[in-house]
């Protein structure tokens, strides 16, 4: 039985929806569209509009924005992990009076 190497690209996502969108992008687009359901709540429409715009903008950025070669969602999760990680502080005196 012959074994063939299957070429694949680990740096790019597969575009499975029409050749233009990946599964990750479609998921974020669905989350952005589902934020419109907030208009059915009894919250005043002005406040709801600002909340929907903020949520939709965040998910659209996660879907399409790339910073360098990295997607915005990974960049955002790395930033959150950095903010909440346990930090080691070294307290050391330096200078003339130590």
């Amino acid at each position: 039985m012959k074994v063939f190497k299957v070429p694949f690209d680990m740096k790019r996502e597969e575009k499975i929806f029409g050749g233009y969108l990946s599964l990750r992008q479609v998921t974020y687009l669905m989350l952005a569209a589902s934020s419109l359901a907030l208009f059915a709540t009894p919250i005043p429409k002005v406040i709801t509009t600002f909340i929907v715009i903020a949520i939709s903008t965040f998910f659209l950025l996660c879907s399409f924005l790339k910073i360098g070669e990295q997607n915005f969602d990974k960049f955002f999760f790395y930033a959150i992990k950095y903010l909440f990680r346990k930090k080691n502080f070294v307290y050391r005196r330096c200078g003339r009076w130590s």
Side-chain angles (χ1 to χ4, degrees):
M1 183 165 107
K2 278 189 169 184
V3 177
F4 297 100
K5 278 189 165 183
V6 178
F8 57 91
D9 191 2
M10 293 295 290
K11 294 185 179 185
R12 296 191 183 138
E13 298 174 313
E14 285 191 41
K15 307 289 185 176
I16 57 177
F17 289 97
Y20 300 107
L21 298 173
S22 66
L23 182 62
R24 178 189 63 83
Q25 289 174 321
V26 169
T27 304
Y28 283 126
L29 287 174
M30 288 174 29
L31 288 171
S34 66
S35 69
L36 295 173
L38 289 175
F39 281 118
T41 60
I43 302 172
K45 298 303 178 200
V46 174
I47 297 172
T48 306
T49 303
F50 286 120
I51 292 171
V52 167
I53 288 173
I55 291 171
S56 296
T57 303
F58 174 74
F59 284 130
L60 288 173
L61 287 174
C62 287
S63 182
F64 294 112
L65 181 66
K66 277 192 167 185
I67 300 172
E69 287 294 318
Q70 192 170 27
N71 294 326
F72 177 76
D73 57 344
K74 283 188 179 182
F75 189 77
F76 179 74
F77 290 132
Y78 289 151
I80 295 296
K81 285 168 70 174
Y82 174 76
L83 289 174
F84 289 110
R85 74 177 183 180
K86 184 176 179 183
K87 297 174 181 71
N88 294 328
F89 296 103
V90 178
Y91 296 103
R92 185 178 77 165
R93 289 182 165 225
C94 55
R96 292 178 31 192
W97 295 286
S98 58

